[in-house]
Amino acid sequence: MQNTETNRIENKEQLNEDFEQEVIAFLNYREGGTIYVGINKKGQVVGVEDVDLTQLQIKDRIKNNIQPSTLGLFDVIVETIDNKEVIKVIISSGTEKPYYLRKKGRTPEGCYVRVGSSKERMTERMIDDMYAKRVKHTLKEIDSPRQELTFNQLKIYYEEHGLKLNDNFLQNLDLLTSEGKYNYNAFLLADENTVSIKLVRYLGNNKLELLENLEYGNRCLITVTQKILDRLDVENTTYAKIEYFGRKEQEKINSKALKEAVINAIVHNDYSYGNSPIIELYSDRVEITSAGGLPQELSQEEFLEGVTAPRNKELIRVFKDVDLIENIGSGVLRILDAYDKSCFKFMDHFLRVSFKYKENPFEYDTDNKQKNDKINDKINDKINDKETQILKALNENPKLTIPELNKITKISTATISRYLKQLQDKNIIERVGSNKVGYWKIL
């Protein structure tokens, strides 16, 4: 690994006094970036002595010394490089630029931006221009359609992950507007709301014949997400084949990529105009569509390289707290680890991910088909249908036990025992080895 600094990578030998300035520079930069603590300017890995303490200090300094709120915009993880532990701080491009040092305010002394491989102070003109372009309709400042909300489900999810929401959780999770009202984030995470996500199934590979039209919603967005993931897990058929050395399996869709696509669609969706994600199941593919197009001003190339500019940073923070999101910016890269870039379709106001179903690799197993055909030809006149079922199963896996044959053929264990004896008497099969570790040989 070459640990050189770039426009998106900053190295720090240790946590020093200008750390917040580097973070602000990346927050104000359109591509975000990464800071490594424990690597010096020459790219040499020196490591971090007290990793746990340094992690806590980093989180505390970013949260408390930078304005506006940075929750959901950064991630702090530990990596091992050259057998030494370093801390990797991933920073997304912020949605409420310009970001600044709390004690300096929105001034040239408090605002920084990334230029090349270093940070630079922003001029007053740059600050004014950036402030003028700030996103006006963030969910944080949109009033909830209802102001009588409860959050019992949300509290349960936090408790399940060893976290407890205290009396200030509304402020801590940015669920209030600047005027102290419930915002749209609070509405989405409340026990009851009017937001739903559609899951639609079609008969063929187009929308001509509708089979199912389901809606998951009207409750906490985390609950909705879990229910959709559970349903898709059932839909995602796993192809399987029992062989001599064990069981082979292959999913119809890569489950990790599918989960990332669903969660990305839900947390990055533009809810400000009343649109929700939609999941469509066809005979040959699944499509997941979210509203809002690319977040911020990201290019397609930047998006596909994992550059992040979260549209709904408050939702991302909550989803990360309950382990639905692992690391910020990893979702797209996980999808591209299993599928090529063509699975993404970029539109002006929507973003779609499409996964083609994989064919059953075991359906047309030529070798086994030929073996089964030979078995049928040679002994069709000697055995009945149930004996044929048993024989085909043993051809796939000679080590099958009677209980395993029962599960595969649905024939009772007593009947299987009787037929195995008959097949032996007809000199069609023989037992090799003991009952415990032996196998059946087709003669």
Side-chain angles (χ1 to χ4, degrees):
M1 176 180 176
Q2 293 183 348
N3 308 308
T4 55
E5 292 186 334
T6 67
N7 63 317
R8 296 195 62 222
I9 295 176
E10 173 71 20
N11 292 332
K12 287 197 167 298
E13 186 167 339
Q14 58 187 0
L15 192 60
N16 56 17
E17 60 182 13
D18 68 346
F19 176 76
E20 288 90 338
Q21 298 173 11
E22 302 288 359
V23 174
I24 290 170
F26 282 129
L27 288 167
N28 288 329
Y29 185 49
R30 67 190 301 267
E31 296 184 23
T34 301
I35 300 175
Y36 285 96
V37 179
I39 301 178
N40 64 26
K41 293 297 181 181
K42 295 179 180 179
Q44 297 169 330
V45 180
V46 296
V48 177
E49 286 187 10
D50 194 333
V51 171
D52 293 335
L53 176 61
T54 307
Q55 274 187 294
L56 291 173
Q57 290 174 336
I58 288 172
K59 292 176 182 178
D60 182 68
R61 287 173 62 169
I62 294 177
K63 288 178 183 177
N64 297 320
N65 297 343
I66 299 174
Q67 288 282 90
S69 173
T70 57
L71 293 177
L73 292 175
F74 71 95
D75 202 0
V76 183
I77 58 180
V78 177
E79 286 192 354
T80 301
I81 303 175
D82 296 344
N83 297 318
K84 295 178 181 178
E85 287 187 321
V86 301
I87 295 177
K88 180 180 180 181
V89 186
I90 304 169
I91 304 153
S92 298
S93 178
T95 55
E96 299 177 88
K97 301 180 183 74
Y99 290 81
Y100 52 88
L101 286 169
R102 180 192 292 268
K103 63 182 180 181
K104 298 291 185 180
R106 199 165 55 238
T107 65
E109 290 75 28
C111 295
Y112 298 83
V113 69
R114 193 75 174 176
V115 178
S117 59
S118 62
K119 68 179 185 300
E120 299 286 347
R121 282 188 177 182
M122 295 172 62
T123 64
E124 290 187 4
R125 175 71 178 271
M126 292 169 68
I127 294 170
D128 291 341
D129 288 347
M130 192 172 282
Y131 185 76
K133 294 177 182 177
R134 178 186 284 186
V135 178
K136 301 296 182 183
H137 299 291
T138 62
L139 298 185
K140 180 182 175 182
E141 291 303 324
I142 297 176
D143 289 352
S144 167
R146 299 177 182 174
Q147 288 298 314
E148 294 181 359
L149 302 176
T150 58
F151 302 92
N152 294 321
Q153 294 173 52
L154 184 63
K155 291 177 180 178
I156 290 172
Y157 285 116
Y158 268 78
E159 287 174 0
E160 287 177 348
H161 289 81
L163 304 170
K164 189 171 182 179
L165 296 179
N166 58 29
D167 294 337
N168 297 320
F169 81 93
L170 295 172
Q171 292 86 352
N172 294 338
L173 299 183
D174 280 336
L175 302 184
L176 300 175
T177 66
S178 55
E179 297 178 353
K181 297 181 179 180
Y182 286 127
N183 59 29
Y184 208 85
N185 290 310
F187 184 61
L188 291 170
L189 295 169
D191 293 327
E192 294 183 9
N193 56 48
T194 57
V195 178
S196 65
I197 297 174
K198 285 189 175 183
L199 190 150
V200 185
R201 179 201 293 279
Y202 301 101
L203 179 62
N205 59 9
N206 54 44
K207 299 184 179 183
L208 294 180
E209 294 188 63
L210 179 67
L211 288 180
E212 281 186 296
N213 189 357
L214 306 174
E215 294 207 21
Y216 294 84
N218 305 322
R219 62 187 70 188
C220 176
L221 195 60
I222 296 174
T223 303
V224 173
T225 303
Q226 294 281 18
K227 287 187 173 296
I228 290 174
L229 291 175
D230 290 343
R231 175 59 189 266
L232 290 175
D233 188 51
V234 173
E235 296 289 341
N236 190 14
T237 304
T238 299
Y239 304 125
K241 173 185 176 183
I242 298 175
E243 293 187 329
Y244 184 85
F245 292 106
R247 178 182 174 94
K248 279 188 176 181
E249 292 185 350
Q250 180 173 293
E251 297 171 318
K252 188 161 63 173
I253 307 169
N254 183 282
S255 56
K256 289 184 179 179
L258 182 60
K259 178 182 178 181
E260 294 293 346
V262 169
I263 292 176
N264 279 359
I266 291 172
V267 299
H268 291 295
N269 187 76
D270 185 355
Y271 295 94
S272 61
Y273 293 100
N275 295 315
S276 297
I278 181 170
I279 300 165
E280 297 170 295
L281 303 173
Y282 297 87
S283 61
D284 62 341
R285 69 193 185 280
V286 59
E287 291 185 349
I288 302 157
T289 307
S290 58
L294 281 177
Q296 298 289 31
E297 299 175 355
L298 285 184
S299 67
Q300 293 182 19
E301 183 180 358
E302 290 165 343
F303 174 83
L304 293 171
E305 289 179 356
V307 176
T308 60
R311 178 178 281 115
N312 307 314
K313 65 185 181 70
E314 295 85 7
L315 290 181
I316 291 172
R317 183 267 173 94
V318 172
F319 272 61
K320 190 173 187 305
D321 283 348
V322 299
D323 291 338
L324 280 171
I325 292 176
E326 289 187 26
N327 296 322
I328 291 174
S330 64
V332 172
L333 298 180
R334 288 178 187 272
I335 294 172
L336 292 177
D337 189 47
Y339 296 91
D340 61 41
K341 296 178 181 180
S342 64
C343 69
F344 289 99
K345 183 176 181 180
F346 301 95
M347 296 170 270
D348 289 341
H349 304 293
F350 297 91
L351 176 62
R352 176 172 294 156
V353 187
S354 180
F355 298 132
K356 291 277 189 182
Y357 297 148
K358 295 178 181 177
E359 292 184 0
N360 186 346
F362 314 124
E363 186 174 3
Y364 303 105
D365 190 319
T366 305
D367 290 339
N368 280 323
K369 186 177 186 301
Q370 289 175 349
K371 288 180 183 178
N372 285 332
D373 288 344
K374 288 179 181 178
I375 291 169
N376 287 338
D377 293 340
K378 287 184 178 181
I379 61 177
N380 192 43
D381 59 335
K382 295 183 180 181
I383 62 176
N384 60 37
D385 290 341
K386 288 184 178 179
E387 287 174 323
T388 302
Q389 284 181 265
I390 294 170
L391 202 56
K392 285 183 177 180
L394 291 177
N395 181 53
E396 294 283 348
N397 183 2
K399 285 193 170 184
L400 286 174
T401 63
I402 290 176
E404 288 170 338
L405 282 168
N406 165 251
K407 289 182 180 179
I408 295 170
T409 63
K410 307 303 180 186
I411 302 171
S412 71
T413 55
T415 302
I416 290 173
S417 296
R418 187 173 74 254
Y419 283 145
L420 287 173
K421 179 67 169 60
Q422 291 177 6
L423 288 169
Q424 284 178 291
D425 292 343
K426 294 175 184 178
N427 203 31
I428 293 173
I429 64 173
E430 71 175 8
R431 185 68 183 178
V432 179
S434 67
N435 289 332
K436 286 188 177 181
V437 297
Y439 65 94
W440 292 101
K441 180 179 179 182
I442 299 174
L443 301 175

